Amino acid sequence: MADVGRAAQVSAQTVSRFYTGGYVSAETKGRIERAVRELGYRHSRLPQILRAQHTDTIGFLAMGPLNFGNTGILTGISRAARAEGQSLLTAQLDLDPDAPSTRGEVRRALGNFTSMRVDGIVVGTPYLGVETVLEDIGASVPVVSLSERATGGVTSVHADSYGAARLGTRHLLDLGHRRILHLAGPGNRNEASERVRGYRDELAAHDVDELPLLHCAEWDAQSGAAAAEAADPATFTGVLSANDEIALGFVSVLRERGFSAPADFSIVGIDDMPEATFFSPPLTTSRLDFEALGETAFRLLLDQIRGTSAASRVLPSTLTVRSSTRALDGRPSDSGVAPAADLPAG
């Protein structure tokens, strides 16, 4: 303030009034602003933050690779934060969930957020068991968990992976398929486990036997391609893929092996990523709105910060029917968006 005051030919007290909202004439304001620009100073909010009850800043901790789901969630949170005039701090941990150091890394990332006095934290916890770490932090700052297996006492929101798998499996059953293969996602992910459960429950509801799972190491096309190399097309007529990217790799490699969808098999994905309509063939898929998921998580967190109780939420799935599926009698499946079925709660 003293440096700016000398350059603007005013007192340090006048510079202080300028920054704290006190009266300063328009001509003096102009001189102070020019001096600040010329000296290259930036106004530090730290003293105000240290005095304030709220910092208007939230943290978002994402875990796992930056795939379609994670980036969609981040987009939704960022959009909602901007609309509310909130700042967003982000951290991303792509760690081995089975490594002994992982929970320590998660605690360290959460501790970094609290040391910056964020008002609350949204945490993506896709790995089995990692969400228990939130029990340590939840007492000191509001937390919303993006988890399909949230622990008690932590507000959570998640997309309905279980319902999405049931929708896709039911679509194949409605088309007459009874030998339905599931390309399962990574075994250590909550979403993958819920999609396996949805697949199994829908088959059981129709008294249809499940086929042995084909497990994919990651949520990517390479893992789908590896599954296609191991698959025996004589054993199935329908496929439920744990996500769209896995379906892309699976269809591509089977085409190289001489089997095409939907002539030789029908396939349904999960996610409805924008590129799914440009797959060959365009992919039937259960839609999960990850951007809406991010926005909802932010709103739930803001409710907690403002002292309003926030109930956990589940965002339902809808089925988008395209040309990767057809009835076993040769009829194509009707294209369009089907509403979420009246399924039992997950």
Side-chain angles (χ1 to χ4, degrees):
M1 287 189 291
D3 291 343
V4 171
R6 279 192 293 270
Q9 298 181 330
V10 298
S11 68
Q13 289 82 357
T14 300
V15 177
S16 176
R17 286 200 304 275
F18 168 80
Y19 275 117
T20 57
Y23 173 75
V24 178
S25 70
E27 187 271 337
T28 301
K29 283 182 181 178
R31 295 212 312 270
I32 292 173
E33 288 169 350
R34 284 194 298 274
V36 169
R37 286 196 302 271
E38 290 168 1
L39 291 170
Y41 283 132
R42 295 291 182 271
H43 181 207
S44 173
R45 293 182 60 230
L46 182 58
Q48 291 173 287
I49 289 172
L50 292 174
R51 291 194 301 270
Q53 184 177 2
H54 295 296
T55 63
D56 293 333
T57 302
I58 67 165
F60 171 49
L61 175 60
M63 295 185 215
L66 283 177
N67 52 24
F68 172 69
N70 270 339
T71 54
I73 290 168
L74 176 58
T75 298
I77 292 176
S78 299
R79 181 188 300 129
R82 287 197 307 273
E84 291 289 341
Q86 302 281 314
S87 297
L88 180 65
L89 300 178
T90 63
Q92 187 256 342
L93 300 177
D94 189 3
L95 303 170
D96 177 1
D98 299 319
S101 61
T102 293
R103 282 170 176 74
E105 291 287 346
V106 173
R107 289 189 179 92
R108 185 157 36 251
L110 294 172
N112 288 339
F113 282 144
T114 57
S115 71
M116 297 175 190
R117 296 196 61 199
V118 296
D119 293 332
I121 307 173
V122 176
V123 186
T125 55
Y127 297 115
L128 297 172
V130 173
E131 62 272 5
T132 57
V133 174
L134 303 186
E135 296 173 358
D136 302 335
I137 199 77
S140 59
V141 65
V143 171
V144 168
S145 171
L146 291 163
S147 175
E148 308 218 5
R149 296 188 178 183
T151 57
V154 177
T155 300
S156 68
V157 59
H158 64 83
D160 190 7
S161 286
Y162 173 84
R166 292 201 68 163
L167 273 177
T169 306
R170 178 175 294 183
H171 175 66
L172 292 168
L173 290 166
D174 288 346
L175 294 174
H177 297 276
R178 292 299 180 268
R179 291 182 292 137
I180 300 174
L181 174 68
H182 181 40
L183 305 176
N188 56 10
R189 312 295 170 85
N190 293 326
E191 296 87 348
S193 298
E194 288 300 289
R195 293 171 197 186
V196 169
R197 191 167 68 90
Y199 158 78
R200 286 173 168 164
D201 284 358
E202 191 63 30
L203 290 181
H206 288 77
D207 201 23
V208 174
D209 292 334
E210 65 181 81
L211 298 182
L213 302 177
L214 269 184
H215 288 281
C216 297
E218 196 44 79
W219 297 109
D220 55 28
Q222 289 85 352
S223 297
E229 295 285 1
D232 180 0
T235 63
F236 60 87
T237 64
V239 178
L240 175 70
S241 175
N243 79 344
D244 294 350
E245 289 193 54
I246 289 172
L248 173 62
F250 188 83
V251 169
S252 177
V253 168
L254 277 191
R255 187 184 301 112
E256 293 174 358
R257 294 178 58 188
F259 302 94
S260 63
D264 299 305
F265 64 95
S266 291
I267 185 167
V268 178
I270 294 175
D271 281 350
D272 198 16
M273 59 194 301
E275 295 82 1
T277 193
F278 300 106
F279 286 8
S280 181
L283 185 67
T284 295
T285 180
S286 294
R287 176 173 174 76
L288 298 176
D289 192 338
F290 291 106
E291 291 187 18
L293 181 60
E295 291 184 6
T296 302
F298 174 83
R299 301 293 175 194
L300 291 177
L301 183 65
L302 201 60
D303 285 346
Q304 288 190 63
I305 292 168
R306 292 173 175 174
T308 304
S309 61
S312 296
R313 295 273 306 278
V314 179
L315 274 60
S317 175
T318 55
L319 184 71
T320 303
V321 181
R322 301 190 180 98
S323 56
S324 67
T325 54
R326 68 167 186 164
L328 279 185
D329 62 10
R331 291 179 294 107
S333 54
D334 295 330
S335 62
V337 177
D342 186 14
L343 298 171

